[in-house]
Each structure stands twice: as structure tokens, then as C-alpha cells.
Amino acid sequence: MALLDSIATPRDLRRLSSEQLDELAAEIRDVMIRTVATNSGHLGPNLGVVELTLAIHRVFDSPRDRIVFDTGHQSYVHKLVTGRHADFDTLRREGGVSGYPSQAESEHDIVENSHASTSLSYADGLAKAYAIRGEDRHVVAVIGDGALTGGMAWEALNNIAIARSSRLVIVVNDNERSYTPTIGGLATALTSLRTNPRYEQVLDLVKKRLNAVPGVGHAAYDALHAVKKGMKDALAPQGLFEDLGLKYVGPVDGHDRGAMEQALANAKRFGGPVIVHAITRKGQGYDPALRHEADQFHAPGPFDVQTGAEKPKGKIWTDHFSEAIVDLGGRREDVVAITAAMMHPVGLDAFAAKFPERTFDVGIAEQHAVTSAAGLAMGGLHPVFAVYATFLNRAFDQVLMDVALHKCGVTFVLDRSGVTGDDGASHNGMWDMSILQVVPGLRLAAPRDVSRLRELLDEAVEVDDAPTAVRFPKGPPPEDVPAIDRVGGADVLVREGAQDVLVVAVGSMCTTAVEVASRLTAQGIGVTVVDPRWVKPVDPAIVELARDHRLVVSVEDNGRVGGCGATLLQTLNDAGVRTPFRLHGIPQEFLDHAKRDAILARIGLDAQTIARGIVEDVTALDRGLTLVEVDHSA
């Protein structure tokens, strides 16, 4: 039997010998590599935290002691040693193991949010709560050096530093910096000394007695303290954290499990906030990942286990945006690009290669990115901030007050909008069209295909007195859907038969709407399908089309509340248009992970479900009923 099969809870790790733990680490890496090779997922980050995670679980007692993973994509090892090994082959599949921590899966998981730089704030609150309640529990926050580029992490550190009674250990998983781990007996002795509670007591006593000596006491203490600090700073890059008032341990080789256990045990013993600085390598233990120059197999698609070669895949929306922004940059010298630590994922790497002086990677700092973009616009440039739709949520105030209020020409390119699928609830970009609807002056475009992506991006950067946004989904785009007519600024995609039904389809839902139209015409129902292209503001031409039809149906891959359909309905009411209206969108709930098409079908955003509902509505109208009287659940 494999060692991993014998690990039902983290406590089982404590009975293993050092040799068995090394064997277990190898087994864990093998399981993760083979699973991700089939299912896709985050591989490089998890390969880099195997020994670190084992050490955490051997020193701390989960779930009594709480472990909070920042972002959570590096929690696979944690899942494997907390009872989910048997189901790990279902990783990221519908009904299977989530790619992020999940409270529904295990009592060992507490924080599910996969947005970065939040772990320290969660941990701060948890540790304070346990202290107030008098509970003897520790909190461990695992945060990557990348997440420390987010301002929220430093806001948390500022507060943690003064929470002296918090039993909080912060593990900085540093997989990029070139710090040399501190080694040797002196370093080990100093680390043990610094984290011994008696060290603080003795230091306070020395300070009091020296300062009591008239004339020379203060100077003597300052000199002694400077010598102590100078010795420590010569051995480790800890000054920044200790200047905040936080105890620092490290750097420690994160792949040396024994060293990690010793460092964590020392930190646990201290009884207050401590930072343990672990040096790791993304992709550790798998040569193809270590050789992968772009991101050490951060999140590969399916690949060959032996060679690491990813299986061929077609171009996705992001690839087409990448080409479009490079072309735009060649035509417009004022266009500059911004990313928040997502250069490759959002497709700006090609632009950066060609126009490095016009590309800015601000780290995980969406709020700064937006306000910096406002400054760039005020300075005469046109910034394009490419970001996952779900991450723009973090910078709403900056979009509203820093960009829109000042009428800055900034373009937001929202990748992975709508339902993203197997990345889980916090990655779905289903909020953007609702939150952006409330921003005065902002114009919002949703291209239905690649040709419209290029067209609308060009139109967006022409706007220099207001913010613009262009959104598109995850995955491969459909074949181009040609327009048969243009009404106002909207494209007419289908016009068949009588003016029975007007379908207003947003962005990626246009392909679905065309299929709906085909099903309706087959049953003798007249239908017009329009793509607004620019969904904010509402095109007056669509208002007039709605006035001329018997039923209006809106279809969008955004939340139903406050989205394009809701705004269109409000606009029609304001214009006195009383045409019956049916809104199709994403229900306001956190969606479980599954493939995008499976989720769309589950929530009723597939062609068959929409068409069936329209037929029922038209039948009801023919019978003189109102839509309120139609039960689509039957």
C-alpha cells in the first residue's frame, strides 16, 4: 500500500519516520503531476510547497489550529493529507474536488476566496477572535511573495504587528527572490533565541535597568540594541519585517522539511505574531516544470507526464486580444498597457516584448493599477488595463471616483467574464456588468466574436473623455457571426418572420441566441436577434425595436440583478414601452465548479431551455395571459 493511502488525517503524518516522509513527498508529487496532466490545474505552485505543507501539518494541529492559504491555488498538498486523496482524481471536475479550499469538502478548509493578498486579514481576525475567547489555538497564514505585492497584505501586517497576543504564524512562501537561506549553528541559535518568550522578557529587563542609569543608560542600551540588530541583519533579510515590529525567522529552505519544522516550532512557541520566511522553487521535483521559463507550469492545460509537453490547443479569446493590442500599439503610440501580475494570463506578454517602455506590471495591486491608469490618461496617454473580470471588483471605487469622476480615457479589458467554469465560485466574472452599470459615463462593450473584439477595442480607445470596458469570456471564441443589418449601433443577426420576439443577446451569448432563433422559426414564431455591441448605454434603437415586438427577451452571462437585462427593462419602462419582458442571466449565487457549458445548462442559459421558455411565453400571450402566469419550472 502506498504511504499516501495511510494518511487519513494530518495527525497520521506524525508517526512517519524522516525516510517515510521523504517517500510520501515523492508520492504526493507523482499524484499531483498525473492528476493535473489530465484535469489541468495549478501544478508549479503545489510542487513547490510539498515539504512546507507537510511541516505545517506536523507542527500544528489542524483543524483546531487554522491554516489559511492565500489565493488557495497552492492547497493541493493540504487536500491530499486531509482525507481527500481517494477523490483527488476528480480535481476540478463537476461534483469533484475543488481546485481551491472548500468548506463543503473538509473541516480543515476555512477560507475559500481565491483572490490574492487576503490571507493575512483573515488570519488577523481569526487570531484575535481566539485570543478574546480565551482559546488555545494557533493560526497559520501561508502567503506567497507575489501576494505581498498587494496593498491589503501590508494593511494587515500593520495591524498584526500590534496584536501582541495573537498566536499567528505567517509563512512567506518565497519562490522568486534570490535570498540565500541562512544556514549554520549560529543562525539556528539566533533564531531559537529570538523566538523564545524569555528573550523578550530579558530584553525588557535589560532595557529598564540600563535606561535607569543616569547619563549613559540610554546610549548603552541603544548601542547594545544596534549590535544585536546588526548581527541579525547580516545573517538574514529581515529588517523590513522587524521594523514593523514583527518577529522574523529565516530564510529557511522550504524544501528541507526538518528545517521547516524547527522554524515553525520555534515560531509556535513564541506565542505572538511571527513571520517564517521559506525559500521554495515552483515546480520542485519535476524537471519539465523547472525548465518552463514562462511560469514553471503555474497552471498548465493537459500535458504529457514524461515530457511535460502540453497537448495542442486552439487559440482562445485571450490570444486574439493579445494580437489585437499589439496591432493597436503599433498604430497608436499613446496606447500603454497595464497588468496586475498577470502578464501572460491576460495576453500582454507580446505587447510587453514589443513595447516594454509602454507596459506596466504593478503586481497584485488592482486599486493602484486603476488610479495609476487615471494618471496616465491625465498625462496624455490612453491606458489599457487588462484584468480578469472578477478581479476588477477589487477596484470599483477607483473606477468610479478616480477614473469616471475625472472623465479619464481609460479602457478596461475584462478577460474571463461570465461563467469561467472549473476554477470555482470566486473566479466567475459574473459581476462586472452589474457593478459597471452604476458608473456614470462609462461605456461597456461585449464582443460576440473575434472580429467584433478587434472592432470594439479600436472604438474603445477612441474614447478619451470617459472610461470604456471591453469584456470577453474564457476559452475559444466561436466562428464569426455576421450581421445582416445595423440598427443604430446594434447589429441585427437574425430577422425571420413576424415581429413576435426580440432577442437582445449580449456578447458571447449571441451564438446561443442565433440557435434559439433557429428553434423558434422552426415552430413558426417570428424572431429578431440583435447584438447591442455597446451594452452601456442602452441604444435608443433597441428601445424602438422593443416597442414594435410582442415579447422582448434578454440573454446575458452576467448576474440577473443590475445587469444588462435589468437596465434594459428599466430603460423601456422609462420610455413607456410596455412590451412583455423576459430576462435570462446568471442567478445571484456562488456557482459550484464545472465545465462552462455544464454550468450554463444547469442555470438555464442553453439554447434549448431559453427556446422552450420563449415558446411557452408566446403561447401564453396568444391565450391572453401575462408572463407572470407562466410557470417555466413545470
CSV table of all heavy atoms in Angstrom, one decimal, residues 449-495:
chain,number,residue,atom,x,y,z
A,449,ASP,N,-17.6,37.9,-31.1
A,449,ASP,CA,-16.7,37.1,-31.8
A,449,ASP,C,-15.4,37.9,-32.0
A,449,ASP,O,-15.3,39.0,-31.5
A,449,ASP,CB,-17.2,36.6,-33.2
A,449,ASP,CG,-17.7,37.8,-34.1
A,449,ASP,OD1,-17.1,38.9,-34.0
A,449,ASP,OD2,-18.7,37.6,-34.8
A,450,VAL,N,-14.4,37.3,-32.6
A,450,VAL,CA,-13.1,37.9,-32.7
A,450,VAL,C,-13.1,39.2,-33.6
A,450,VAL,O,-12.4,40.2,-33.2
A,450,VAL,CB,-12.1,36.9,-33.3
A,450,VAL,CG1,-10.7,37.6,-33.7
A,450,VAL,CG2,-11.8,35.7,-32.4
A,451,SER,N,-13.9,39.2,-34.6
A,451,SER,CA,-13.9,40.4,-35.5
A,451,SER,C,-14.5,41.6,-34.7
A,451,SER,O,-14.0,42.7,-34.7
A,451,SER,CB,-14.8,40.2,-36.7
A,451,SER,OG,-14.1,39.2,-37.6
A,452,ARG,N,-15.5,41.3,-33.9
A,452,ARG,CA,-16.1,42.3,-33.0
A,452,ARG,C,-15.1,42.7,-31.9
A,452,ARG,O,-15.1,43.9,-31.5
A,452,ARG,CB,-17.4,41.9,-32.5
A,452,ARG,CG,-18.6,42.5,-33.1
A,452,ARG,CD,-18.6,42.5,-34.6
A,452,ARG,NE,-18.5,41.2,-35.2
A,452,ARG,CZ,-18.5,40.9,-36.5
A,452,ARG,NH1,-18.4,41.9,-37.3
A,452,ARG,NH2,-18.4,39.7,-36.9
A,453,LEU,N,-14.3,41.8,-31.4
A,453,LEU,CA,-13.3,42.1,-30.4
A,453,LEU,C,-12.4,43.2,-30.9
A,453,LEU,O,-12.1,44.2,-30.3
A,453,LEU,CB,-12.5,40.9,-30.0
A,453,LEU,CG,-11.3,41.1,-29.1
A,453,LEU,CD1,-11.7,41.8,-27.8
A,453,LEU,CD2,-10.6,39.8,-28.8
A,454,ARG,N,-11.8,43.0,-32.1
A,454,ARG,CA,-10.9,44.0,-32.7
A,454,ARG,C,-11.6,45.3,-33.0
A,454,ARG,O,-11.1,46.4,-32.7
A,454,ARG,CB,-10.3,43.4,-34.0
A,454,ARG,CG,-9.3,42.3,-33.8
A,454,ARG,CD,-8.8,41.8,-35.1
A,454,ARG,NE,-7.6,40.9,-34.9
A,454,ARG,CZ,-6.4,41.3,-34.9
A,454,ARG,NH1,-6.1,42.6,-35.0
A,454,ARG,NH2,-5.4,40.5,-34.7
A,455,GLU,N,-12.8,45.2,-33.5
A,455,GLU,CA,-13.6,46.4,-33.8
A,455,GLU,C,-13.9,47.2,-32.6
A,455,GLU,O,-13.7,48.5,-32.6
A,455,GLU,CB,-14.9,45.9,-34.5
A,455,GLU,CG,-15.9,46.9,-34.9
A,455,GLU,CD,-17.1,46.2,-35.5
A,455,GLU,OE1,-17.1,45.9,-36.7
A,455,GLU,OE2,-18.1,46.0,-34.8
A,456,LEU,N,-14.4,46.6,-31.5
A,456,LEU,CA,-14.8,47.3,-30.3
A,456,LEU,C,-13.6,47.8,-29.5
A,456,LEU,O,-13.7,48.8,-28.9
A,456,LEU,CB,-15.7,46.4,-29.5
A,456,LEU,CG,-17.1,46.1,-30.1
A,456,LEU,CD1,-17.8,45.0,-29.3
A,456,LEU,CD2,-17.9,47.4,-30.1
A,457,LEU,N,-12.5,47.1,-29.6
A,457,LEU,CA,-11.3,47.6,-28.9
A,457,LEU,C,-10.8,48.8,-29.5
A,457,LEU,O,-10.4,49.8,-28.9
A,457,LEU,CB,-10.2,46.5,-28.9
A,457,LEU,CG,-8.9,46.8,-28.2
A,457,LEU,CD1,-9.1,47.1,-26.7
A,457,LEU,CD2,-7.9,45.7,-28.4
A,458,ASP,N,-10.8,48.9,-30.9
A,458,ASP,CA,-10.5,50.1,-31.6
A,458,ASP,C,-11.4,51.2,-31.2
A,458,ASP,O,-10.9,52.4,-31.0
A,458,ASP,CB,-10.5,49.9,-33.1
A,458,ASP,CG,-9.3,49.2,-33.6
A,458,ASP,OD1,-8.3,49.0,-32.8
A,458,ASP,OD2,-9.2,48.8,-34.8
A,459,GLU,N,-12.7,51.0,-31.2
A,459,GLU,CA,-13.7,52.0,-30.8
A,459,GLU,C,-13.4,52.5,-29.4
A,459,GLU,O,-13.6,53.7,-29.1
A,459,GLU,CB,-15.1,51.5,-31.0
A,459,GLU,CG,-15.5,51.3,-32.5
A,459,GLU,CD,-16.9,50.7,-32.6
A,459,GLU,OE1,-17.7,50.9,-31.7
A,459,GLU,OE2,-17.2,50.1,-33.7
A,460,ALA,N,-13.1,51.6,-28.5
A,460,ALA,CA,-13.0,51.9,-27.1
A,460,ALA,C,-11.8,52.9,-26.9
A,460,ALA,O,-12.0,53.9,-26.1
A,460,ALA,CB,-12.7,50.6,-26.3
A,461,VAL,N,-10.7,52.7,-27.5
A,461,VAL,CA,-9.5,53.5,-27.3
A,461,VAL,C,-9.7,54.9,-28.0
A,461,VAL,O,-8.9,55.8,-27.7
A,461,VAL,CB,-8.2,52.9,-27.7
A,461,VAL,CG1,-8.0,51.6,-26.8
A,461,VAL,CG2,-8.2,52.5,-29.2
A,462,GLU,N,-10.7,55.0,-28.8
A,462,GLU,CA,-11.0,56.3,-29.4
A,462,GLU,C,-11.7,57.3,-28.4
A,462,GLU,O,-11.7,58.5,-28.6
A,462,GLU,CB,-11.9,56.2,-30.6
A,462,GLU,CG,-11.2,55.6,-31.8
A,462,GLU,CD,-10.0,56.4,-32.3
A,462,GLU,OE1,-10.2,57.7,-32.3
A,462,GLU,OE2,-9.0,55.9,-32.7
A,463,VAL,N,-12.2,56.7,-27.3
A,463,VAL,CA,-12.9,57.5,-26.3
A,463,VAL,C,-11.9,58.0,-25.3
A,463,VAL,O,-11.3,57.3,-24.6
A,463,VAL,CB,-14.0,56.6,-25.5
A,463,VAL,CG1,-14.7,57.5,-24.5
A,463,VAL,CG2,-15.0,56.1,-26.5
A,464,ASP,N,-11.8,59.4,-25.3
A,464,ASP,CA,-10.7,60.0,-24.4
A,464,ASP,C,-11.3,60.8,-23.3
A,464,ASP,O,-10.5,61.4,-22.6
A,464,ASP,CB,-9.8,60.8,-25.2
A,464,ASP,CG,-10.4,61.9,-26.0
A,464,ASP,OD1,-11.6,62.2,-25.8
A,464,ASP,OD2,-9.8,62.6,-26.8
A,465,ASP,N,-12.6,60.8,-23.1
A,465,ASP,CA,-13.2,61.6,-22.1
A,465,ASP,C,-14.1,60.8,-21.1
A,465,ASP,O,-15.0,61.3,-20.4
A,465,ASP,CB,-14.1,62.7,-22.7
A,465,ASP,CG,-15.2,62.3,-23.6
A,465,ASP,OD1,-15.3,61.0,-23.9
A,465,ASP,OD2,-16.0,63.1,-24.1
A,466,ALA,N,-13.9,59.5,-21.1
A,466,ALA,CA,-14.7,58.6,-20.3
A,466,ALA,C,-14.1,57.2,-20.3
A,466,ALA,O,-13.4,56.9,-21.2
A,466,ALA,CB,-16.2,58.5,-20.8
A,467,PRO,N,-14.3,56.5,-19.2
A,467,PRO,CA,-13.8,55.1,-19.2
A,467,PRO,C,-14.6,54.2,-20.1
A,467,PRO,O,-15.8,54.4,-20.3
A,467,PRO,CB,-14.0,54.6,-17.7
A,467,PRO,CG,-15.1,55.5,-17.2
A,467,PRO,CD,-15.0,56.8,-17.9
A,468,THR,N,-14.0,53.2,-20.7
A,468,THR,CA,-14.6,52.2,-21.5
A,468,THR,C,-14.2,50.8,-21.0
A,468,THR,O,-13.1,50.6,-20.4
A,468,THR,CB,-14.2,52.3,-23.0
A,468,THR,OG1,-12.8,52.3,-23.1
A,468,THR,CG2,-14.8,53.6,-23.6
A,469,ALA,N,-15.0,49.8,-21.3
A,469,ALA,CA,-14.7,48.4,-20.9
A,469,ALA,C,-15.1,47.5,-22.1
A,469,ALA,O,-16.1,47.7,-22.7
A,469,ALA,CB,-15.4,48.0,-19.6
A,470,VAL,N,-14.2,46.5,-22.3
A,470,VAL,CA,-14.5,45.5,-23.3
A,470,VAL,C,-14.3,44.2,-22.6
A,470,VAL,O,-13.3,43.9,-22.1
A,470,VAL,CB,-13.5,45.6,-24.5
A,470,VAL,CG1,-13.8,44.5,-25.5
A,470,VAL,CG2,-13.6,47.0,-25.1
A,471,ARG,N,-15.4,43.4,-22.6
A,471,ARG,CA,-15.4,42.1,-21.9
A,471,ARG,C,-15.5,40.9,-22.8
A,471,ARG,O,-16.2,41.0,-23.8
A,471,ARG,CB,-16.5,42.1,-20.8
A,471,ARG,CG,-17.9,41.9,-21.5
A,471,ARG,CD,-19.1,41.8,-20.6
A,471,ARG,NE,-19.0,41.1,-19.3
A,471,ARG,CZ,-19.7,40.0,-19.1
A,471,ARG,NH1,-20.3,39.4,-20.1
A,471,ARG,NH2,-19.6,39.4,-17.9
A,472,PHE,N,-14.8,39.8,-22.5
A,472,PHE,CA,-15.0,38.6,-23.3
A,472,PHE,C,-14.7,37.4,-22.3
A,472,PHE,O,-14.1,37.5,-21.3
A,472,PHE,CB,-14.0,38.5,-24.5
A,472,PHE,CG,-12.6,38.8,-24.2
A,472,PHE,CD1,-11.8,37.8,-23.7
A,472,PHE,CD2,-12.1,40.1,-24.4
A,472,PHE,CE1,-10.4,38.1,-23.4
A,472,PHE,CE2,-10.7,40.4,-24.1
A,472,PHE,CZ,-9.9,39.4,-23.6
A,473,PRO,N,-15.2,36.2,-22.7
A,473,PRO,CA,-15.2,35.0,-21.8
A,473,PRO,C,-13.9,34.2,-21.9
A,473,PRO,O,-13.0,34.6,-22.7
A,473,PRO,CB,-16.4,34.2,-22.3
A,473,PRO,CG,-16.4,34.5,-23.7
A,473,PRO,CD,-16.0,35.9,-23.9
A,474,LYS,N,-13.8,33.2,-21.1
A,474,LYS,CA,-12.7,32.3,-21.1
A,474,LYS,C,-12.9,31.3,-22.3
A,474,LYS,O,-14.0,31.0,-22.7
A,474,LYS,CB,-12.7,31.5,-19.8
A,474,LYS,CG,-11.6,30.4,-19.6
A,474,LYS,CD,-11.8,29.7,-18.3
A,474,LYS,CE,-10.7,28.6,-18.2
A,474,LYS,NZ,-10.9,27.9,-16.9
A,475,GLY,N,-11.8,30.8,-22.8
A,475,GLY,CA,-11.9,29.7,-23.8
A,475,GLY,C,-11.8,30.1,-25.2
A,475,GLY,O,-11.6,31.3,-25.5
A,476,PRO,N,-12.1,29.2,-26.1
A,476,PRO,CA,-12.0,29.5,-27.6
A,476,PRO,C,-13.2,30.3,-28.0
A,476,PRO,O,-14.4,30.1,-27.6
A,476,PRO,CB,-12.0,28.2,-28.2
A,476,PRO,CG,-12.7,27.2,-27.3
A,476,PRO,CD,-12.3,27.8,-25.9
A,477,PRO,N,-13.1,31.3,-28.9
A,477,PRO,CA,-14.2,32.0,-29.4
A,477,PRO,C,-15.0,31.2,-30.5
A,477,PRO,O,-14.4,30.3,-31.0
A,477,PRO,CB,-13.6,33.3,-30.0
A,477,PRO,CG,-12.2,32.8,-30.5
A,477,PRO,CD,-11.8,31.8,-29.4
A,478,PRO,N,-16.2,31.6,-30.7
A,478,PRO,CA,-17.0,30.9,-31.8
A,478,PRO,C,-16.5,31.4,-33.2
A,478,PRO,O,-15.7,32.4,-33.3
A,478,PRO,CB,-18.4,31.3,-31.5
A,478,PRO,CG,-18.3,32.7,-30.9
A,478,PRO,CD,-17.0,32.7,-30.1
A,479,GLU,N,-17.0,30.8,-34.2
A,479,GLU,CA,-16.9,31.3,-35.5
A,479,GLU,C,-17.6,32.7,-35.6
A,479,GLU,O,-18.5,32.9,-34.9
A,479,GLU,CB,-17.5,30.4,-36.6
A,479,GLU,CG,-16.8,29.0,-36.7
A,479,GLU,CD,-15.4,29.2,-37.2
A,479,GLU,OE1,-15.1,30.1,-38.1
A,479,GLU,OE2,-14.5,28.4,-36.8
A,480,ASP,N,-17.0,33.6,-36.4
A,480,ASP,CA,-17.7,34.9,-36.6
A,480,ASP,C,-19.1,34.8,-36.9
A,480,ASP,O,-19.5,33.9,-37.8
A,480,ASP,CB,-17.0,35.7,-37.6
A,480,ASP,CG,-15.7,36.4,-37.1
A,480,ASP,OD1,-15.4,36.2,-35.9
A,480,ASP,OD2,-15.1,37.2,-37.8
A,481,VAL,N,-20.0,35.6,-36.3
A,481,VAL,CA,-21.4,35.6,-36.6
A,481,VAL,C,-21.7,36.9,-37.3
A,481,VAL,O,-21.7,38.0,-36.7
A,481,VAL,CB,-22.2,35.6,-35.2
A,481,VAL,CG1,-23.7,35.6,-35.6
A,481,VAL,CG2,-21.8,34.4,-34.4
A,482,PRO,N,-21.9,36.8,-38.6
A,482,PRO,CA,-22.1,38.0,-39.4
A,482,PRO,C,-23.4,38.7,-39.1
A,482,PRO,O,-24.4,38.1,-38.8
A,482,PRO,CB,-22.0,37.5,-40.9
A,482,PRO,CG,-22.5,36.1,-40.8
A,482,PRO,CD,-22.0,35.6,-39.4
A,483,ALA,N,-23.4,40.0,-39.3
A,483,ALA,CA,-24.6,40.8,-39.1
A,483,ALA,C,-25.3,40.9,-40.5
A,483,ALA,O,-24.6,41.0,-41.5
A,483,ALA,CB,-24.3,42.2,-38.6
A,484,ILE,N,-26.6,40.9,-40.4
A,484,ILE,CA,-27.4,41.1,-41.7
A,484,ILE,C,-27.9,42.6,-41.8
A,484,ILE,O,-28.3,43.0,-42.9
A,484,ILE,CB,-28.6,40.2,-41.8
A,484,ILE,CG1,-29.6,40.4,-40.6
A,484,ILE,CG2,-28.1,38.7,-41.8
A,484,ILE,CD1,-30.9,39.7,-40.8
A,485,ASP,N,-27.7,43.3,-40.8
A,485,ASP,CA,-28.2,44.7,-40.8
A,485,ASP,C,-27.6,45.4,-39.6
A,485,ASP,O,-27.1,44.8,-38.6
A,485,ASP,CB,-29.7,44.8,-40.8
A,485,ASP,CG,-30.2,46.2,-41.2
A,485,ASP,OD1,-29.4,47.0,-41.6
A,485,ASP,OD2,-31.5,46.4,-41.1
A,486,ARG,N,-27.6,46.8,-39.6
A,486,ARG,CA,-27.2,47.6,-38.5
A,486,ARG,C,-28.4,48.5,-38.1
A,486,ARG,O,-28.8,49.3,-39.0
A,486,ARG,CB,-25.9,48.3,-38.8
A,486,ARG,CG,-25.5,49.4,-37.8
A,486,ARG,CD,-24.9,48.7,-36.5
A,486,ARG,NE,-23.7,47.9,-36.7
A,486,ARG,CZ,-22.5,48.4,-36.6
A,486,ARG,NH1,-22.3,49.7,-36.5
A,486,ARG,NH2,-21.5,47.6,-36.8
A,487,VAL,N,-28.8,48.5,-36.9
A,487,VAL,CA,-29.9,49.4,-36.5
A,487,VAL,C,-29.3,50.3,-35.3
A,487,VAL,O,-29.0,49.7,-34.3
A,487,VAL,CB,-31.1,48.7,-36.0
A,487,VAL,CG1,-32.2,49.7,-35.5
A,487,VAL,CG2,-31.7,47.8,-37.1
A,488,GLY,N,-29.2,51.6,-35.6
A,488,GLY,CA,-28.5,52.4,-34.6
A,488,GLY,C,-27.0,51.9,-34.5
A,488,GLY,O,-26.3,51.7,-35.5
A,489,GLY,N,-26.6,51.6,-33.3
A,489,GLY,CA,-25.2,51.0,-33.2
A,489,GLY,C,-25.3,49.5,-33.0
A,489,GLY,O,-24.2,48.9,-32.8
A,490,ALA,N,-26.4,48.9,-33.1
A,490,ALA,CA,-26.6,47.4,-32.8
A,490,ALA,C,-26.6,46.6,-34.1
A,490,ALA,O,-27.1,47.1,-35.2
A,490,ALA,CB,-27.9,47.2,-32.1
A,491,ASP,N,-26.0,45.4,-34.1
A,491,ASP,CA,-26.0,44.5,-35.2
A,491,ASP,C,-27.3,43.6,-35.1
A,491,ASP,O,-27.6,43.1,-34.1
A,491,ASP,CB,-24.8,43.6,-35.2
A,491,ASP,CG,-23.5,44.3,-35.7
A,491,ASP,OD1,-23.7,45.4,-36.3
A,491,ASP,OD2,-22.4,43.8,-35.4
A,492,VAL,N,-27.9,43.5,-36.3
A,492,VAL,CA,-29.0,42.6,-36.4
A,492,VAL,C,-28.5,41.3,-36.9
A,492,VAL,O,-27.9,41.2,-38.0
A,492,VAL,CB,-30.1,43.1,-37.3
A,492,VAL,CG1,-31.3,42.1,-37.5
A,492,VAL,CG2,-30.7,44.4,-36.8
A,493,LEU,N,-28.6,40.2,-36.2
A,493,LEU,CA,-28.1,38.9,-36.5
A,493,LEU,C,-29.1,38.0,-37.2
A,493,LEU,O,-28.8,37.2,-38.1
A,493,LEU,CB,-27.5,38.2,-35.3
A,493,LEU,CG,-26.5,39.0,-34.5
A,493,LEU,CD1,-26.0,38.2,-33.3
A,493,LEU,CD2,-25.4,39.6,-35.3
A,494,VAL,N,-30.4,38.1,-36.8
A,494,VAL,CA,-31.4,37.3,-37.4
A,494,VAL,C,-32.7,38.2,-37.5
A,494,VAL,O,-33.0,39.0,-36.6
A,494,VAL,CB,-31.8,36.1,-36.5
A,494,VAL,CG1,-33.0,35.3,-37.0
A,494,VAL,CG2,-30.6,35.2,-36.3
A,495,ARG,N,-33.4,38.0,-38.6
A,495,ARG,CA,-34.7,38.7,-38.8
A,495,ARG,C,-35.6,37.8,-39.6
A,495,ARG,O,-35.4,37.7,-40.8
A,495,ARG,CB,-34.6,40.1,-39.4
A,495,ARG,CG,-35.9,40.9,-39.5
A,495,ARG,CD,-35.7,42.1,-40.3
A,495,ARG,NE,-35.0,43.2,-39.6
A,495,ARG,CZ,-34.0,43.8,-40.1
A,495,ARG,NH1,-33.5,43.5,-41.3
A,495,ARG,NH2,-33.4,44.8,-39.5
